[in-house]
Amino acid sequence: MQKLLAMSLVLLICGGLVFIGTNNSNTQPQQISDIQEPNPTPLALELEVVTKPNSNPSAPDPAEQMVVIERTDWKLDQPLRTQLTRLKNRADQGELQAAYVLAMNLRFCASAALNEADLEARLQQAYDYKDDGLAITNIKERYEFCAGINQQQRNEFYAYLETAAKAGYVPAQEEMATITPEQFMKLAGETELEREAYIQKRDDFIRQQLLLLESASQHGSIPALITLSNMHHSQNYGEHGRAKSYAFNLLILELADDNELQSRYSWFVQRRQSELTPEQIEQAHTLSEQWLARIKANGTLYLP
């Protein structure tokens, strides 16, 4: 009997050592992804290393922990000329919402008829193409809304939009992504630059777009995340494009409450898995978790 008790004691001690050894192996620090979050100076979006949280099935959905921000209804109910001075004064005093509203209305007018002759030409073209009555009504209404605003004033939309975007106004940051490099070069009056200077100016603009989109996405902008996913999937915007796109798709799935978006990006995630190595997928998950931590810390959500 004594021998049996002694053998049992030895087995218990050995089992305890194995258990301790197993637990210690789980305390090793995780490997940090080599896909680093951008550090977009001067926006100062440095990201701390965030360790992977423990899974908790009862934890609330991240979207439920954030404030959904309603976007400003920028379309004015009166002709722009009647409110242009007021909006300019407010924008020049640093009101970001006023700068955004002014920019959006000026951009809306950028493609409107400038004068009656221009209006008649556009209406005639619509008639020739047998456009329906709605298209003709829109041409007339846009002309009336924008009457009295010259082309130079209309082109000023970019300056106000850029000001609001750089100051951190998320809807303006989202809108900046809709401007093509060619449109920017034309607005900047730089279309006649020498080739190298043209490319440098264009690429600087694209880099600025990326920084603004990253800022918007880290404040919970799903449209910004969608744009970033599309841009990086093209692999024209730096290294690890496909892995970054995959990470943004994971974030969209985490934050979106729209069934159509959920279905679309679930399919994207499944499809992208075949394009990535296991290591890239792991890196993408790490990046997604880091960005989600920053989004939750900022506490805001901008739905599509």
Side-chain angles (χ1 to χ4, degrees):
M1 178 64 69
Q2 291 179 345
K3 289 183 178 180
L4 181 60
L5 288 174
M7 290 178 66
S8 299
L9 181 60
V10 170
L11 288 172
L12 284 172
I13 294 171
C14 291
L17 291 174
V18 171
F19 177 77
I20 293 169
T22 303
N23 280 350
N24 286 343
S25 66
N26 289 333
T27 62
Q28 297 300 317
Q30 296 178 343
Q31 293 297 317
I32 299 173
S33 167
D34 64 353
I35 302 178
Q36 298 296 322
E37 183 200 6
N39 179 20
T41 305
L43 296 177
L45 293 178
E46 294 181 3
L47 182 63
E48 307 86 356
V49 175
V50 180
T51 57
K52 185 174 181 179
N54 293 327
S55 59
N56 182 1
S58 63
D61 188 325
E64 296 177 2
Q65 303 174 29
M66 293 180 283
V67 178
V68 176
I69 306 298
E70 297 292 335
R71 288 177 176 77
T72 301
D73 183 6
W74 56 264
K75 183 69 184 295
L76 303 174
D77 55 6
Q78 297 293 327
L80 180 54
R81 65 180 178 276
T82 66
Q83 303 185 56
L84 184 65
T85 300
R86 177 180 63 86
L87 282 172
K88 279 196 169 188
N89 288 340
R90 289 174 56 191
D92 292 342
Q93 290 170 7
E95 290 188 34
L96 300 184
Q97 183 175 352
Y100 170 72
V101 169
L102 177 57
M104 294 298 288
N105 281 280
L106 288 172
R107 191 177 190 190
F108 177 77
C109 290
S111 58
L114 273 169
N115 49 49
E116 290 189 3
D118 189 9
L119 174 63
E120 289 301 321
R122 292 176 187 233
L123 289 174
Q124 186 60 54
Q125 185 180 43
Y127 290 130
D128 291 342
Y129 281 98
K130 296 181 172 57
D131 285 342
D132 57 23
L134 180 60
I136 292 168
T137 298
N138 287 340
I139 292 172
K140 292 179 178 179
E141 289 181 349
R142 183 173 291 212
Y143 172 73
E144 292 171 1
F145 177 81
C146 301
I149 310 297
N150 62 41
Q151 192 63 56
Q152 181 178 350
Q153 290 174 311
R154 297 177 187 195
N155 289 344
E156 290 175 355
F157 85 84
Y158 180 81
Y160 287 104
L161 187 66
E162 183 183 46
T163 296
K166 285 185 173 180
Y169 195 72
V170 171
Q173 293 174 332
E174 295 170 342
E175 186 69 17
M176 283 286 288
T178 69
I179 300 172
T180 67
E182 291 73 24
Q183 288 173 329
F184 165 74
M185 295 300 290
K186 185 176 180 180
L187 287 167
E190 306 283 13
T191 56
E192 301 301 323
L193 286 177
E194 295 292 332
R195 177 176 172 77
E196 288 188 8
Y198 181 96
I199 292 174
Q200 181 65 49
K201 185 86 172 179
R202 181 199 63 192
D203 290 351
D204 287 345
F205 169 72
I206 293 172
R207 277 190 287 272
Q208 176 177 261
Q209 280 185 313
L210 283 169
L211 296 182
L212 294 173
L213 281 169
E214 288 163 2
S215 174
S217 72
Q218 292 184 359
H219 284 82
S221 167
I222 294 178
L225 288 169
I226 291 172
T227 303
L228 283 170
S229 173
N230 293 336
M231 292 176 74
H232 283 295
H233 186 257
S234 72
Q235 301 189 88
N236 294 325
Y237 300 92
E239 297 180 349
H240 310 294
R242 291 287 171 87
K244 288 180 180 179
S245 177
Y246 184 84
F248 292 131
N249 290 346
L250 292 173
L251 281 169
I252 294 165
L253 277 178
E254 191 77 32
L255 299 172
D257 63 354
D258 179 87
N259 289 336
E260 183 180 346
L261 272 181
Q262 284 281 339
S263 177
R264 183 187 313 163
Y265 281 89
S266 292
W267 183 80
F268 283 161
V269 165
Q270 292 173 4
R271 183 179 179 184
R272 300 293 181 256
Q273 286 177 345
S274 64
E275 302 172 353
L276 302 173
T277 66
E279 181 183 8
Q280 289 174 319
I281 291 175
E282 182 180 354
Q283 292 170 346
H285 275 279
T286 301
L287 178 61
S288 175
E289 289 165 3
Q290 290 176 336
W291 279 49
L292 182 60
R294 173 53 61 89
I295 291 169
K296 291 171 69 175
N298 285 325
T300 54
L301 187 64
Y302 293 78
L303 301 175

